[in-house]
Amino acid sequence: MTRETAIFAGGCFWCTEAVFQSLEGVDGVESGYIGGHAANPTYKQVCGGDTGHAEAIRISFDPSVISYADLLDVFFATHDPTQLNRQGNDIGTQYRSAIFPLDAAQADAARDGIQRAAADWPAPIVTTIESASEWYPAEDYHQAYWDGEGQRNPYCMAVIPPKLAKLRKGFSDRLRTA
């Protein structure tokens, strides 16, 4: 069975991870850091905004079940791609909206995804398409965060349920059944 990978940054990785792990055809979602200049960055360093990294997710998916274009549509519908270097109260380049294509086909699809999504937003989309650079997995306690600690974190409780509601409303046919 063929597996592909997608890398997106859309604000806090806890919040984007919670959305994408709910999709049928997604085999795994890993939180991490990409797009910066420091080797092996820590969460504290990335949160400081000095490394240039974005909090991002790396998605492993089965393209026969869910396409890269479908993932892009979910991405644009479940975060605000019109906010430059922020998502809500999370401010800084580490929270930028970015797509990190892994090949030319993904780069073309990303441009098409931005065009499709533009009609749904009242302001211009500022999502960047950046070259994929070294991927650094986030520390273990960040992985599957919503499934554990996130359920007790007031920030997550305020931000993630509305994202999941958008997902259920717009993509109910793409959700995991079990």
Side-chain angles (χ1 to χ4, degrees), residues 51-64:
T51 68
H53 291 91
E55 285 193 17
I57 57 170
R58 183 167 64 175
I59 305 162
S60 172
F61 66 100
D62 179 346
S64 72

Side-chain angles (χ1 to χ4, degrees), residues 2-6 20 23 25-30 57-63 66 71 176:
T2 302
R3 293 288 178 262
E4 291 185 19
T5 302
F20 284 89
L23 295 170
V26 169
D27 303 320
V29 181
E30 180 181 52
I57 57 170
R58 183 167 64 175
I59 305 162
S60 172
F61 66 100
D62 179 346
I66 190 164
L71 294 174
R176 258 182 226 287

Side-chain angles (χ1 to χ4, degrees), residues 35-53:
H37 53 77
N40 300 307
T42 65
Y43 181 65
K44 185 175 180 178
Q45 290 171 321
V46 172
C47 284
D50 297 326
T51 68
H53 291 91

